[in-house]
Amino acid sequence: MSVSFASLDTMANPVVRSCGSAMLYLGDCREILTSLPSSSVDLVMTSPPYADRRKNSYGGIVPDNYVAWFLPVAEQLFRVLKPSGTFVLNIKEKVYNGERHTFVLELILALRKQGWLWTEEFVWHKKNCYPGKWPNRFRDAWERLLQFNKSRHFSMYQEAVMLPVGDWSGRRLENLSETDCKRDNAKNESGFGKKVANWIGRDKVYPTNVLHLATECANRTHSAAFPESLPAWFVQLFSKEGDKVLDPFMGSGTTLAVANRLQRFSVGIEIKKDYFDLALERIKKAQNSNSSLTRQMFR
Amino acid sequence: MSVSFASLDTMANPVVRSCGSAMLYLGDCREILTSLPSSSVDLVMTSPPYADRRKNSYGGIVPDNYVAWFLPVAEQLFRVLKPSGTFVLNIKEKVYNGERHTFVLELILALRKQGWLWTEEFVWHKKNCYPGKWPNRFRDAWERLLQFNKSRHFSMYQEAVMLPVGDWSGRRLENLSETDCKRDNAKNESGFGKKVANWIGRDKVYPTNVLHLATECANRTHSAAFPESLPAWFVQLFSKEGDKVLDPFMGSGTTLAVANRLQRFSVGIEIKKDYFDLALERIKKAQNSNSSLTRQMFR
DNA sequence: GTTCCGCATGAATCGATAG
DNA sequence: ACTATCGATTCATGCGGAA
């Protein structure tokens, strides 16, 4: 592991840290993105501040201004993304005055006008979503994962995210005792999904556009924005080893840590210093340890 | 069960059949809706014909014209719905030229301009979705269930859709063991794991806005677009016994049959005669038998 | 009567072929 | 070129027949 220091002389207070194959920028992504070369990124995977509830960063964007605020960023993402690349946006509108806000819908329409193709909308089903009880509403247990592309011919590595056959969740598990479950789960920790398939020893099936992942509560150090298995799934699906993954709203660096561990080059940008430091620390650790990714669960 | 004949003298070829507490209209809902009284319906639950690229198919609505086609219907629905009522729209955009079409997004925006409140978007996860394999896309396994209201104060009977543990009797063991595995793996700190154990002693659990239902595809008697448990859930959630439920795109009458069985008054409109006949026959049968609703499964 | 296995069946989508 | 049609692909589910 090597840590070096670099500077961008076009900016006022440039801070860059590289750690292995990861590069972390501290600053406003609207600025920093302009310094990245065109058509150099294979996958942009990000969960922008609003979905993260990080209201203080980026001046607390109110939903009505969200589209206008996001479009310049998206324009840069379009530029730095390879023609065969993919842009995955994790977002979910909140309730305002009793309604779901429409800024995500408007964002999709605006991005298309910008030239993006709205290829797909994945659903992330959060199994253990935030608890709560309201008289006119149930708990929100899903988020959008919007897939955008520059071209209809983009890179997709479906085999990398294949699943054990559906029989696994049905009859198979029924016959196993509880101790069997525990034992096999322990095995799974090192395998990141593949082991599960081998465990059954049967054919694999392709997943759907619905992702079943539990939100991680295990990590105490940072408020888990999303589980590692979420970016891991998209990193494996839309990039291969040696590709470059970009997260312009890095946060605590979940996407970067995963991309790094999966042998991708990664670029992260974060405007808040405490998050930046957190992410850097995390990448360093990931660089050293062989800690495994959390097991993914899809159905 | 009584079957009577009525006529609407404002229309050219009016056909109405009433069967018990259900009333079925044969004709174009844009016309027939105008004959229904204002503020008389508690729940509109419908799954309109999807926009389709084939002209021969039902309705033959081109996606680009979908919003313009739907708005007059929605205007009438707004009129006939009670202020405390709810409008649930089951819809999903298909892929056109490699992209998800945006007409659903545009429809939501247009409906809001019409005065509707976009209260919530439920996700119906179709566990057994249509098969297929493509180089750039996975199978589509979810549909939208858009909830619209006239007012922020609408009727909602959450207790009616709470998930009784008893309903799981067939698969409870599987569910528990599965969840136990996850708990052990996640080392959950928030007490979520304990909750799982409490489920056994607890009577009921509130659902989320994600519904897990399989499509009833190969049902010999009738192959419905959606399973009965889907409308059953919303009928129970947004209406009570003696309320009036309307489906302006009745199809084979799944929603009506369910509403009828749940002691609601129901009104169905269908433009195609073969579907109309099918629905009528179905209501008659439902009127006679005490067949239970398909078991619902949420996770 | 149970359980198990085989089979038809979908609110799908792409790419090639035909008009 | 642009649109309509068709074949190939794929998998959870319910039903019927077999053990």
Side-chain angles (χ1 to χ4, degrees), chain A:
Chain A
M1 180 196 66
S2 68
V3 178
S4 66
F5 297 83
S7 72
L8 297 171
D9 39 39
T10 54
M11 281 167 233
N13 296 317
V15 175
V16 189
R17 299 287 154 84
S18 81
C19 172
S21 57
M23 184 150 323
L24 285 73
Y25 293 83
L26 172 60
D28 191 325
C29 69
R30 286 168 294 187
E31 262 184 70
I32 291 171
L33 281 173
T34 61
S35 70
L36 300 184
S38 299
S39 297
S40 61
V41 170
D42 295 277
L43 169 65
V44 177
M45 163 97 214
T46 195
S47 188
Y50 208 76
D52 266 357
R53 291 185 191 157
R54 290 186 285 135
K55 290 174 184 172
N56 289 337
S57 53
Y58 288 97
I61 314 107
V62 281
D64 294 332
N65 302 333
Y66 199 89
V67 175
W69 168 80
F70 195 83
L71 281 183
V73 179
E75 195 183 336
Q76 285 301 311
L77 297 179
F78 196 94
R79 186 184 60 78
V80 301
L81 191 68
K82 286 183 189 171
S84 64
T86 294
F87 169 31
V88 175
L89 180 62
N90 171 219
I91 200 164
K92 181 64 191 281
E93 63 277 1
K94 301 252 184 327
V95 175
Y96 290 91
N97 201 14
E99 279 188 278
R100 289 281 165 198
H101 202 281
T102 57
F103 73 86
V104 174
L105 314 184
E106 287 154 10
L107 180 60
I108 295 172
L109 298 177
L111 287 176
R112 286 190 77 246
K113 281 185 187 156
Q114 211 177 46
W116 292 99
L117 300 174
W118 182 35
T119 306
E120 182 58 298
E121 178 171 351
F122 295 83
V123 161
W124 168 28
H125 173 32
K126 298 184 285 185
K127 279 178 177 169
N128 53 343
C129 60
Y130 202 84
K133 164 95 175 70
W134 303 270
N136 57 349
R137 186 173 294 282
F138 287 138
R139 290 172 298 150
D140 191 7
W142 68 283
E143 291 190 15
R144 307 176 193 276
L145 282 150
L146 305 168
Q147 178 193 347
F148 296 96
N149 291 97
K150 294 174 75 169
S151 154
R152 288 182 174 80
H153 295 97
F154 52 86
S155 301
M156 192 179 196
Y157 310 95
Q158 302 190 353
E159 293 71 23
V161 294
M162 286 189 82
L163 306 168
V165 77
D167 206 32
W168 171 78
S169 62
R171 275 194 297 265
R172 195 74 185 200
L173 198 56
E174 243 173 354
N175 298 332
L176 293 171
S177 70
E178 214 171 301
T179 49
D180 281 334
C181 286
K182 283 172 189 167
R183 173 171 49 87
D184 285 307
N185 270 333
K187 273 195 224 163
N188 292 340
E189 284 185 18
S190 59
F192 189 62
K194 287 179 188 171
K195 283 288 190 334
V196 178
N198 294 338
W199 169 40
I200 303 299
R202 291 190 58 178
D203 287 341
K204 292 194 253 183
V205 300
Y206 291 99
T208 69
N209 59 357
V210 176
L211 285 66
H212 283 253
L213 301 167
T215 52
E216 280 168 7
C217 309
N219 270 333
R220 288 213 136 205
T221 48
H222 30 259
S223 59
F226 43 59
E228 295 197 341
S229 45
L230 186 67
W233 197 75
F234 287 102
V235 164
Q236 291 181 293
L237 180 58
F238 291 122
S239 76
K240 59 183 190 302
E241 291 192 6
D243 278 359
K244 187 180 279 185
V245 176
L246 165 66
D247 185 350
F249 303 100
M250 182 170 56
S252 57
T254 304
T255 299
L256 240 70
V258 166
N260 202 37
R261 215 174 302 154
L262 289 170
Q263 319 289 337
R264 274 72 170 171
F265 291 95
S266 54
V267 178
I269 310 173
E270 175 55 42
I271 198 169
K272 299 201 81 174
K273 186 164 191 319
D274 46 352
Y275 273 112
F276 176 85
D277 293 339
L278 210 57
L280 185 61
E281 210 56 39
R282 192 165 167 188
I283 305 296
K284 283 184 192 172
K285 272 186 205 157
Q287 201 75 10
N288 290 331
S289 71
N290 286 345
S291 69
S292 68
L293 292 171
T294 305
R295 176 185 52 134
Q296 45 177 358
M297 285 285 305
F298 300 92
R299 250 180 262 160

